[in-house]
């Protein structure tokens, strides 16, 4: 990037189109640092969830620094890994929305270093949780007699983020004494002792029959002797025998469903997520391998994460926002894409993904892209049936470069404007529903032929185009967006130009 400006070039014959509502997903092939530099222009503050499974620095040449693989013989392998990750995480932090979060998988090789690095980049106050994930069952032939069966997932989030899962539905009762008003019950004691809450140290008496219920000195009543009558008059206290279907031996407290719904609002039915990940839900590495084998007929990728794990993480992060945008810039085999698509299918969501991966050993072309295509179309590469398919759209971009020594850098960059507009807005510039206007002449031509575009949904107009009053009125019937000059601004500034 010292001598070249990164751009995207669309590979049109790899577009996957399904006639469904919603925006496009994107697969970006190339060094993820180049992709992140461009995403910083199109998606700053717009990404809702980041999940990455970066190189673990296992001494097995799993990442490249300064155009060379780093292995166990490199005395600077830890500092090189930190530099490698810092460049990427620094941009990633800027991409997160106000309610965004990031999940980062890692093992013991760099877990401590990653935690300190993320504390610095995201902010120590943005740390949410260290989530252990059991990747395998215990092995016996291990050094020191301890099988390292778990990896870590570090979670960081902006202040507005709130994870949750759909909890088991509470049991509410409909009874004749309160028609149309469902209710549930809960324990009427508290963990406080009578020494801590002396005003709750009393024998509760059933006003209907005089039956007495002594206080538990280690777990006293949750309502005081002064407030008991108020709760009872509000039909909040239920005694044994009040309802034949309740098997209770002491008083309980009634809660009304409408009060629960009012208090919880949009969070009704949700409970806090847990750092405990049950293997039967999220799976292990062996499950990820089985999924790859089912897709390709053979094991084409080592140590893939199971779809269930990524689905769980994305679900807890987006249960309140099923139209979230998910980014994975170490996409590998494409598990994140499959997880997003399957989660949408399960809960009717409209989440979208952006995946970045290099094409080393043709991984993007031979694994990531075919996997996404198979999940969407339901057909494997060999044409056999995989599933019923999941309707979704995908665009495939390759990283390209414009030399800073080009005779006309601005003209060369303009050739890649369509890709940037499509990426930022998640649409397809088809010159029917979505159209780019780059000059006054193009605006004049559009005005003359406006009636030929009855299905126009949006216009993307260069800031250098001066619309006439009549054009503003005519075009104003659809959303108009000014194409920003910041798409390639940071590179042009380096060569003393402005675009």
């Amino acid at each position: 990037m010292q001598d070249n400006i990164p751009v995207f070039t669309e590979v049109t014959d790899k577009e996957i189109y399904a006639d469904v509502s919603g925006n496009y997903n994107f697969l970006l092939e190339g060094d993820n640092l180049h992709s992140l530099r461009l995403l910083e222009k199109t998606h700053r503050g717009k990404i809702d969830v980041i999940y990455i499974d970066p190189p673990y620095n296992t001494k097995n040449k799993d990442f490249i620094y300064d155009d060379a693989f780093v292995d166990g013989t490199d005395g600077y392998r830890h500092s090189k890994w930190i530099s490698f990750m810092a460049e990427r995480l620094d941009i990633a932090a800027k991409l997160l929305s106000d309610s965004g979060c990031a999940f980062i998988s890692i093992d013991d090789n760099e877990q401590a270093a990653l935690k300190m690095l993320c504390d610095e980049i995201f902010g120590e106050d943005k740390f949410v949780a260290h989530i252990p994930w059991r990747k395998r069952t215990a092995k016996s032939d291990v050094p020191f007699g301890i099988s390292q069966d778990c990896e870590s997932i570090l979670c960081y989030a902006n202040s507005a983020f709130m994870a949750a899962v759909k909890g088991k539905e509470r049991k509410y009762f409909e009874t004749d004494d309160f028609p149309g008003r469902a209710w549930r019950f809960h324990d009427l004691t508290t963990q406080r002792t009578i020494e801590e809450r002396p005003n709750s140290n009393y024998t509760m008496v059933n006003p209907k029959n005089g039956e007495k219920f002594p206080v538990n000195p280690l777990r006293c009543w949750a309502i005081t002797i002064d407030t008991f009558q108020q709760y009872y008059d509000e039909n909040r206290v239920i005694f044994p025998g009040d309802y034949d279907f309740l098997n209770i031996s002491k008083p309980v407290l009634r809660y009304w469903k409408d009060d629960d719904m009012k208090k919880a609002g949009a969070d009704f039915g949700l409970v806090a997520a847990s750092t405990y990940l049950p293997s039967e839900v999220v799976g292990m590495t062996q499950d990820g391998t089985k999924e790859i084998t089912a897709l390709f007929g053979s094991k084409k990728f080592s140590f893939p994460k199971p779809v269930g794990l990524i689905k769980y993480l994305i679900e807890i992060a987006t249960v309140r926002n099923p139209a979230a945008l998910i980014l994975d810039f170490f996409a590998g085999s494409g598990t994140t894409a499959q997880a997003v698509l399957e989660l949408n299918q399960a809960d009717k969501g409209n989440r979208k993904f952006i995946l970045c991966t290099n094409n080393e050993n043709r991984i993007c072309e031979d694994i990531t892209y075919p996997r996404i295509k198979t999940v969407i179309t339901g057909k494997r590469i060999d044409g056999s049936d995989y599933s019923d398919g999941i309707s979704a759209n995908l665009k495939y971009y390759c990283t390209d470069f414009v030399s800073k020594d080009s005779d006309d850098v601005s003209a060369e960059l303009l050739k890649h404007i369509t890709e940037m507009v499509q990426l930022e807005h998640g649409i397809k510039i088809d010159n029917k529903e979505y159209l780019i206007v780059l000059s006054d002449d193009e605006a004049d031509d559009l005005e003359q032929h406006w009636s030929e575009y009855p299905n126009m949904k949006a216009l993307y107009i260069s800031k250098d185009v001066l619309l006439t009053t009549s054009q503003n009125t005519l075009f104003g019937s659809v959303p108009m967006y000014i194409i920003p000059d910041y798409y390639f601004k940071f590179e042009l500034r380096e060569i003393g130009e402005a675009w």
Side-chain angles (χ1 to χ4, degrees), residues 186-199:
H186 195 265
D187 191 3
L188 190 47
T189 65
T190 178
Q191 293 181 347
R192 300 289 185 86
T193 65
I194 58 176
E195 286 78 18
E196 293 175 294
R197 296 202 43 186
N199 56 350

Side-chain angles (χ1 to χ4, degrees), residues 15-26 337 340-342 344-345 349-353 372-373 375-378 389-395:
E15 178 184 348
I16 302 174
Y17 175 74
D19 189 13
V20 294
S21 60
N23 297 334
Y24 271 77
N25 302 292
F26 289 84
V340 170
L341 294 171
E342 289 188 2
N344 283 343
Q345 185 181 50
N350 191 32
R351 301 168 187 84
K352 296 299 172 185
F353 63 79
I372 298 171
K373 186 175 182 179
V375 173
I376 292 176
T377 64
I390 303 174
S391 292
N393 299 328
L394 178 79
K395 282 190 170 294

Side-chain angles (χ1 to χ4, degrees), residues 127-191:
F127 175 69
V128 175
H130 175 182
I131 306 171
W133 169 61
R134 189 182 184 192
K135 64 181 178 181
R136 69 183 185 196
T137 55
K139 297 177 65 176
S140 57
D141 55 337
V142 293
F144 309 111
I146 297 179
S147 180
Q148 294 178 314
D149 301 329
C150 293
E151 291 183 5
S152 301
I153 303 170
L154 300 185
C155 179
Y156 285 77
N158 288 330
S159 56
F161 168 75
M162 184 65 69
V165 294
K166 294 179 181 178
K168 294 182 179 179
E169 189 172 346
R170 282 172 165 166
K171 177 64 176 177
Y172 289 93
F173 300 95
E174 297 274 1
T175 52
D176 294 338
D177 50 347
F178 300 105
R181 198 175 189 197
W183 54 271
R184 63 180 175 88
F185 68 90
H186 195 265
D187 191 3
L188 190 47
T189 65
T190 178
Q191 293 181 347

Side-chain angles (χ1 to χ4, degrees), residues 229-346:
Q229 191 62 45
Q230 175 186 343
Y231 277 88
Y232 183 78
D233 292 343
E234 293 174 351
N235 299 305
R236 296 287 309 281
V237 182
I238 300 174
F239 285 95
D242 285 353
Y243 296 97
D244 294 337
F245 60 83
L246 290 185
N247 183 21
I248 57 175
S249 60
K250 60 183 180 181
V252 294
L253 193 62
R254 190 195 317 259
Y255 291 86
W256 305 106
K257 184 177 182 179
D258 52 7
D259 288 341
D260 286 346
M261 295 177 69
K262 183 178 180 180
K263 181 179 180 180
D267 291 342
F268 180 73
L270 302 181
V271 296
S274 173
T275 57
Y276 171 71
L277 304 180
S279 296
E280 64 272 17
V281 175
V282 302
M284 297 188 210
T285 300
Q286 62 183 12
D287 298 295
T289 300
K290 290 176 182 177
E291 290 159 358
I292 286 287
T293 304
L295 281 157
F296 295 101
S298 63
K299 181 183 176 181
K300 297 194 68 171
F301 189 85
S302 299
F303 309 112
K305 292 294 186 291
V307 174
L309 173 64
I310 313 305
K311 282 173 66 174
Y312 177 83
L313 296 176
I314 293 174
E315 182 176 21
I316 67 174
T318 65
V319 67
R320 297 177 179 84
N321 180 19
L325 181 58
I326 293 90
L327 170 66
D328 182 350
F329 53 90
F330 286 100
S333 69
T335 307
T336 298
Q338 184 171 349
V340 170
L341 294 171
E342 289 188 2
L343 188 56
N344 283 343
Q345 185 181 50

Side-chain angles (χ1 to χ4, degrees), residues 361-414:
N361 298 321
R362 291 182 57 87
I363 182 176
C364 191
E365 291 182 276
D366 291 349
I367 299 179
T368 319
Y369 174 74
R371 180 179 193 170
I372 298 171
K373 186 175 182 179
T374 296
V375 173
I376 292 176
T377 64
K379 297 289 185 181
R380 296 184 181 89
I381 299 174
D382 61 9
S384 61
D385 291 334
Y386 168 74
S387 68
D388 292 334
I390 303 174
S391 292
N393 299 328
L394 178 79
K395 282 190 170 294
Y396 188 117
Y397 286 1
C398 282
T399 301
D400 207 341
F401 296 93
V402 170
S403 172
K404 293 177 181 177
D405 294 329
S406 237
D407 292 337
D408 192 343
V409 176
S410 295
E412 290 298 313
L413 294 178
L414 280 173

